[in-house]
Amino acid sequence: MIELYEKRHMGQRCIIICNGPSLNKTNFSLIRKETCIGMNKIFLGFSRFGIYPKYFVAVNETVLRQSAQEIKGMTSVKFLSNRCPDLFSNNALTHVLDTRNPSVRFCKDISQGLEEGWTVTYASLQIAYYLGFKKVVIVGMDHRYEYEGKPNERKVFHGDDANHFATEYFGGGQEWDNPDLENSEESYRIARKIFEEDGREIIDATVDGRCTIFKKMDLKASLAVGPQCA
């Protein structure tokens, strides 16, 4: 039951690991003992970075279908969209959430739904809120992409993927959905407001990240103050 996770980490700190190429410049030795939330194809970096997140989030249907086998094999606690009922169902480690019809723009109670917000990072922030984390530190949110076409348009990625930490992430002819940075930023502003109203904070410790919504800090400095990990 997902309700068992509500406020489980009340007052603690977590790391949200996004999938930008800056992960290759991130000092993972600083966060290996932290409570981490990974997302999408982070499993491609498990061996390289020496990490294994306690929690995992994926809401994009393309990613879910491309990575179904790997996701099912993970032992992280998983929070997934209900967009693939033929592939995923609830079990001891998997919680399938309604991302199609959330009742509010930021879902404090994810048992009632989860807003995708044009980016899995926003979904992860709602989950972090539900779990009770007081401080969220984000790494790997580069907020820059090279792509052709319109935001949210589904395209085929030819050649190596330069937009993520691994060239094979969407590379080699895989489909992907173009990012929507404008709407993602709107989602981030909402998340920041909700967190701050509740006395919580979101820190962006991405190496050379372009997002300007959250407070910027060096990763080491962001972990030196405030609440500790679980």
Side-chain angles (χ1 to χ4, degrees):
M1 293 178 59
I2 195 169
E3 289 80 9
L4 296 175
Y5 291 93
E6 185 175 11
K7 300 180 180 179
R8 172 171 287 195
H9 296 278
M10 199 68 184
Q12 297 173 2
R13 178 179 71 212
C14 76
I15 311 295
I16 287 182
I17 305 174
C18 300
N19 291 174
S22 67
L23 287 189
N24 295 312
K25 300 178 181 179
T26 299
N27 185 355
F28 279 93
S29 68
L30 296 173
I31 63 175
R32 289 193 182 111
K33 295 182 180 180
E34 299 283 329
T35 303
C36 295
I37 300 175
M39 59 185 71
N40 287 355
K41 297 186 181 182
I42 189 61
F43 53 82
L44 293 173
F46 285 171
S47 296
R48 184 190 311 179
F49 303 135
I51 56 160
Y52 204 100
K54 184 178 183 68
Y55 300 105
F56 172 82
V57 184
V59 296
N60 179 272
E61 183 174 354
T62 301
V63 171
L64 287 167
R65 293 194 178 280
Q66 289 174 346
S67 308
Q69 182 176 351
E70 291 85 353
I71 293 172
K72 288 179 179 179
M74 290 174 61
T75 57
S76 306
V77 176
K78 290 162 277 197
F79 300 97
L80 310 177
S81 168
N82 62 344
R83 292 185 178 276
C84 301
D86 56 317
L87 293 177
F88 300 101
S89 57
N90 290 302
N91 58 45
L93 290 177
T94 306
H95 302 279
V96 178
L97 308 175
D98 180 12
T99 67
R100 294 178 179 272
N101 299 292
S103 58
V104 292
R105 189 67 175 77
F106 185 97
C107 301
K108 296 182 179 181
D109 182 0
I110 62 172
S111 68
Q112 303 301 309
L114 182 69
E115 170 61 50
E116 294 181 5
W118 291 275
T119 165
V120 66
T121 306
Y122 187 63
S124 297
L125 286 168
Q126 293 165 81
I127 289 165
Y129 186 97
Y130 183 77
L131 292 171
F133 289 108
K134 182 177 178 63
K135 182 176 182 177
V136 175
V137 178
I138 300 175
V139 297
M141 188 175 68
D142 293 43
H143 204 62
R144 59 165 70 84
Y145 295 89
E146 298 176 4
Y147 69 94
E148 297 179 352
K150 299 178 180 179
N152 302 304
E153 185 178 359
R154 184 161 295 181
K155 304 288 284 187
V156 175
F157 207 115
H158 297 287
D160 289 343
D161 183 350
N163 294 320
H164 297 89
F165 67 86
T167 57
E168 69 271 26
Y169 196 100
F170 285 123
Q174 298 180 77
E175 288 189 338
W176 80 310
D177 298 316
N178 282 346
D180 188 335
L181 297 185
E182 183 176 349
N183 278 313
S184 295
E185 289 179 358
E186 179 188 358
S187 297
Y188 294 153
R189 291 187 185 95
I190 293 171
R192 176 177 177 174
K193 181 174 183 292
I194 295 293
F195 268 72
E196 291 180 348
E197 286 177 346
D198 199 31
R200 312 191 200 190
E201 65 177 337
I202 302 169
I203 302 295
D204 183 3
T206 300
V207 177
D208 298 325
R210 286 189 181 176
C211 183
T212 60
I213 307 303
F214 305 117
K215 180 180 179 181
K216 296 278 193 178
M217 286 188 74
D218 171 79
L219 177 58
K220 186 175 182 179
S222 74
L223 301 176
V225 296
Q228 302 300 304
C229 62

